[in-house]
Structures are given as C-alpha cells and as structure tokens.
Amino acid sequence: MSYDDVEIEDMEWNEELQAFTYPCPCGDLFQITKDELRMGEEIARCPSCSLFITVIYNMEDFAGGSDPNTKKGLEPSKQQPVAVA
Amino acid sequence: MEENERDKGGEVEIWSWGAGTDGQLGTTRLEDEHLPQLLDLPRFSSAGPISLLACGGAHVLALTTDGKVVTWGRGTSGQLGHGDMVSSLQPKHVKLLESFVMTHVSAGWSHSGFVSDTGCLFTCGDGSFGQLGHGDCKSHCSPVKVSYFDSKHVDQIACGMRHSLVLLKGTGLSGDQVYGFGSGKRGQLGVSMDNTRSISVPQATVGLEGVEIISIDANGDHSAALSANGHLYTWGRGFGSTSDVHCPRCLPSSLCFTQVALGWNHMLVLTGGGEVFMLGGNRHGVLGDPQKGSQVKHLSEESREENLEKVQGLDGLNVVQIAAGAEHSALVTENRVIKTWGWGEHGQLGLGNTYDQISPQAVRLGHRLPGQHTMIKVYCGSGFTFAIKAVIPSQT
C-alpha cells in the first residue's frame, strides 16, 4: 500500500543523490531518478524502510529529454486523480 | 559522590530508541535500536541538566535548565546550528546562542527554531520553502535572528516538515497571535482562505483573533493551537480522507483539551481527565502490514468525516503526557509508565522488535533510578523516541 501520493513538484531535486526526494516518516528520503521517471516508474522508494510513495507526474515532461538541468519536470503536473484504495 | 550529583540536580536519565542512522539517538552509533538505550550522561550534562527535548526528522535539540542548547543528529541542512552542514554523533553546544538564555526550542524535518527569554526568535537549517522566516529561501547553518519579530515578544516556535508557526503572547489589547511561514500548500500556514504556495515572511493566521492560546504544534503538513479554555484549533493537511483546511478551525467537541501532539497523518489529544483521543489514525499501527491495513481501512472507508476516537486499551489509566512521531505515538501514565504504539519498523516503539502496534504497549526502561519520586517525559522524532527520567527533589 502506497504511503502517500506526492506530486513531482512537491519533491526536491537532490544533487548528491541525483534523484527527486520526499521526506519519509522513518527519517530518510523517498527517492526516484529521472531515468526511472522517463521509463514511467511511479513508485519512489525509501532505502531505509519498506514504505514507498506514488509519484504523480506527466510522463511527457520527462520522455526524451536528457538534459538534467531541464526545469520542465519541476513544473506543475496536470492533476491526475488517483483512486485511493 | 551520589550526594554531590544530587546537589547538582544530576539525577537524570536520558533514554532513546528507534531509527538511528543519522546519529539522532545520541548513542554514538549509526544504527537503529529496538530497545531503550541509556545514554552516557556526562556527554549530555556538560551544559547542565536538560529540561526539554525537541526531536525532528533526524536531529535533536536539548534545552538545559539554565537556557543553553545542545544539539546532535543529522546536520546536513545546517539544522544543528553548529556553523556547518555536518551531522554530529555527539551533543554539541550551539555557540551562537551562548550569550542568550533560551526558553523554547522546536525541531522540524530539517530546520530548527529557538526562542530566548527576551522574546527573540532564531532559526537555522533548511530554508528552501521560506520556513526560516528570513524573507528568502536560503538555508543557514547557524541560528539567525528573525528580524520580523524584532519589536515583538515571541513565546513559542513550532517547526513542521516545511513550515513554522510562532506564538506571540498578547499584551494589552493586541491579544495572542499565531504567525506562519514556509510552505503553505496544504493550508498549514493558516494565513488565507486561498491556496498559499509558500511565504518566507511571517504572516498572521486568520481566525484565532481574541483566542488565548497556550501552545502551538506543527508536524508534517499539520498545524494546531490549543486555547486556554481547552479548545483545539487545527489547520493544514486533512486527516484521513478529509480535505485540507486553510484557516484555523475549532474542533467541534465538548471535551476540554490540555495537550496536543501531531504526527504526519494523525493527531493525539489529551483531555483534562487524563484520557487520550486520536484523530486520523486509521492507518496507525498498520503501516507495515498491508493486510491488516486493508481490514482497518475498510472500517472507516465510508466516513468522510474524521472523528476523534478514544485510544483503546488504556483501561482507565490516567495519562499525563502525550507525544507523536511521524507514524508512532507515545504517552506517559500517572504511574510513570511509558506506552507506545503505531509504526514500529525501526524499533521506535522500544518494545524489542519491529512490529506495528494498534494499541499502547508498555515500554520497559530498566530501573536504575528509584521509581517512586521520578517524573518521566517522552519525546518523539519522525522515526525515533526519547525519554527523560528525573528524580523529583524530595521535600526533606
């Protein structure tokens, strides 16, 4: 069960980890890389625990683009209603 | 020896357990602890007896009885106030505050707030969302005075994940005021009916005018204020499936509340009668067990209104203090027993395992200090827990 649904614009780009991150309740960070986003991955995992979040984003914002400095991914994504099970 | 220690007020034990990979447990080890660990006191007491702890995402601020501050744990955003962006396994003085007498501290996810006896507010750590209140989004590795409050007397600070609240106690006609700054996306600043993205200059909340506020709290994207007459006001991210609240709203209840503790998805309240209630806890204690979670979730799926529910299994025990981590809870009973429940994956419940618990379970601290004349306070960080056990000076 996903811990939370988080929009990509609410995640922070972490230069050191080369990943978008969001606070995990264990104290560590949920992480997802640009490559993962490009491939359509929507689960960001925490390296320290079993929890994960669902990342809400537009795949087109990441598809094809290889410039790591692109701001595109940080723009507000279209709100996709996500059914909470 | 023992007499001397007693004279100095040194009869204090500090215990910690839970997530420890950033050094936040103060054990000098970078590992989780599933059972309460008694900390080596001299390292902590060099600054004087500790009167209050504030636990954040992975760092701890300790306030001593003479108003000094020592900090340890994760410091990569500057939240320890040591003048660098480095984590610290050892408790270290916040040198910049040495010339002040501090009276209140609060630790957020990755930022910290400090209040002096003269009503000055200092902040440091991650400022990306404006949560330091300096009018920009810069981070600081030493406490910086928040100039907005220069002519005002700050009483308390509460730091959440990406926002801060400040309480000003009123003088004369002005009354008490609560200010918010930082991320406001979920309404946690309480400054406007509209969506506020984030603000870096403190702004007064709307809807608490004329209310005497005795305490404020912030955690995750939640905010709360407790009034002198026992009413609870909440704003920010909705609990459970309820929608976000952008202005402080009084919780409809006939109960009289004396304490509030916010998690990331739940809230605990303590009543004047020593009873504990929880709001939004339908995943509390079932995070690590999806099957159990789906069962519990099913029960409350239909209700869009989150209701205060009495915490089960306390059987008439009189509770004197409550604390909440991101996804776990702790309380102290009148008989000085610590109980914990909620998410337990990192040992943050201190029960010797990593299981979740739906109802409060007793934590065993060991019995070095005699139980009779002690008092216990419990504090929760995101995924860890601290307890301070102190001997109450006898009357004789």
Side-chain angles (χ1 to χ4, degrees):
Chain A
M1 189 167 58
S2 175
Y3 175 67
D4 204 353
D5 300 325
V6 177
E7 290 174 32
I8 189 74
E9 61 164 356
D10 289 328
M11 299 186 75
E12 292 181 86
W13 176 251
N14 186 308
E15 199 61 42
E16 203 177 320
L17 298 168
Q18 286 292 303
F20 287 98
T21 66
Y22 191 80
C24 173
C26 77
D28 207 336
L29 296 166
F30 293 113
Q31 305 170 16
I32 192 164
T33 64
K34 283 192 179 133
D35 277 343
E36 287 173 320
L37 291 167
R38 252 176 237 127
M39 289 186 296
E41 177 63 66
E42 53 182 25
I43 299 299
R45 295 179 190 284
C46 170
S48 298
C49 70
S50 67
L51 301 184
F52 57 91
I53 55 171
T54 305
V55 182
I56 301 167
Y57 69 107
N58 271 333
M59 222 181 125
E60 306 98 73
D61 292 345
F62 294 90
S66 58
D67 176 13
N69 295 321
T70 179
K71 276 262 176 244
K72 223 180 165 191
L74 289 168
E75 278 167 16
S77 57
K78 275 179 202 153
Q79 299 252 0
Q80 295 169 350
V82 171
V84 179
Chain B
M1 288 284 277
E2 218 180 326
E3 287 299 316
N4 275 341
E5 267 204 14
R6 196 169 302 210
D7 288 341
K8 284 186 289 182
E11 290 253 33
V12 173
E13 292 174 2
I14 306 176
W15 298 79
S16 67
W17 59 92
T21 47
D22 287 282
Q24 63 266 55
L25 296 184
T27 52
T28 72
R29 294 184 296 273
L30 291 170
E31 53 194 51
D32 294 359
E33 299 291 349
H34 301 163
L35 282 170
Q37 303 294 306
L38 180 60
L39 302 184
D40 175 24
L41 203 61
R43 291 187 297 114
F44 291 85
S45 58
S46 63
I50 286 167
S51 64
L52 171 85
L53 292 181
C55 301
H59 71 295
V60 181
L61 318 174
L63 183 66
T64 70
T65 49
D66 56 352
K68 302 301 164 209
V69 182
V70 288
T71 63
W72 63 91
R74 185 159 66 206
T76 48
S77 301
Q79 61 266 59
L80 298 182
H82 295 163
D84 53 26
M85 301 255 185
V86 178
S87 297
S88 176
L89 285 172
Q90 298 283 353
K92 274 199 224 166
H93 285 259
V94 179
K95 291 216 176 74
L96 207 118
L97 300 174
E98 297 273 87
S99 56
F100 297 89
V101 174
M102 307 312 288
T103 53
H104 195 255
V105 293
S106 177
W109 168 255
S110 57
H111 71 294
S112 305
F114 314 86
V115 178
S116 75
D117 64 342
T118 52
C120 295
L121 172 68
F122 299 82
T123 56
C124 65
D126 186 3
S128 316
F129 296 85
Q131 65 265 54
L132 302 187
H134 300 304
D136 55 31
C137 291
K138 287 185 192 145
S139 297
H140 291 278
C141 57
S142 281
V144 175
K145 197 173 163 198
V146 181
S147 58
Y148 182 88
F149 296 107
D150 271 356
S151 60
K152 301 177 170 74
H153 191 99
V154 173
D155 188 63
Q156 290 175 31
I157 168 102
C159 300
M161 185 194 286
R162 295 169 166 178
H163 74 294
S164 305
L165 302 176
V166 162
L167 172 63
L168 303 186
K169 290 299 284 179
T171 49
L173 291 172
S174 61
D176 297 348
Q177 279 186 304
V178 176
Y179 283 77
F181 44 95
S183 171
K185 195 182 180 192
R186 307 303 298 264
Q188 62 265 51
L189 301 183
V191 297
S192 144
M193 298 299 280
D194 309 318
N195 281 356
T196 308
R197 304 254 351 130
S198 63
I199 54 172
S200 57
V201 175
Q203 201 173 323
T205 56
V206 177
L208 290 172
E209 296 81 5
V211 180
E212 187 185 350
I213 304 293
I214 53 166
S215 72
I216 50 173
D217 194 17
N219 199 3
D221 296 325
H222 300 294
S223 298
L226 203 55
S227 78
N229 57 4
H231 291 147
L232 179 69
Y233 296 80
T234 61
W235 60 103
R237 182 178 179 152
F239 291 98
S241 51
T242 58
S243 50
D244 297 349
V245 178
H246 291 263
C247 285
R249 196 165 68 181
C250 189
L251 190 76
S253 170
S254 57
L255 296 163
C256 178
F257 301 115
T258 56
Q259 285 178 35
V260 57
L262 292 169
W264 285 11
N265 286 295
H266 75 294
M267 173 174 74
L268 299 177
V269 284
L270 179 64
T271 69
E275 292 183 312
V276 182
F277 291 80
M278 178 155 58
L279 186 74
N282 60 355
R283 280 168 73 185
H284 207 63
V286 294
L287 260 189
D289 189 340
Q291 259 187 337
K292 215 166 27 166
S294 56
Q295 284 167 19
V296 172
K297 187 125 189 164
H298 186 73
L299 287 173
S300 50
E301 206 167 14
E302 295 305 315
S303 69
R304 218 173 285 161
E305 284 274 313
E306 283 281 338
N307 291 316
L308 273 186
E309 281 177 37
K310 194 170 171 183
V311 172
Q312 297 299 307
L314 289 171
D315 298 329
L317 285 172
N318 195 21
V319 175
V320 294
Q321 197 228 326
I322 52 173
E327 293 292 346
H328 72 291
S329 299
L331 59 81
V332 182
T333 70
E334 189 180 31
N335 302 326
R336 298 172 299 275
V337 173
I338 295 177
K339 292 190 174 227
T340 59
W341 72 109
W343 188 40
E345 186 170 341
H346 288 269
Q348 60 264 58
L349 304 186
L351 303 172
N353 57 50
T354 56
Y355 302 135
D356 292 1
Q357 297 291 342
I358 294 175
S359 61
Q361 309 292 317
V363 178
R364 296 172 66 97
L365 278 195
H367 298 285
R368 201 176 72 97
L369 286 181
Q372 279 308 308
H373 303 289
T374 56
M375 63 166 293
I376 294 182
K377 290 274 274 180
V378 68
Y379 304 89
C380 295
S382 285
F384 62 101
T385 312
F386 267 78
I388 295 187
K389 192 173 175 183
V391 170
I392 302 167
S394 59
Q395 300 294 324
T396 52

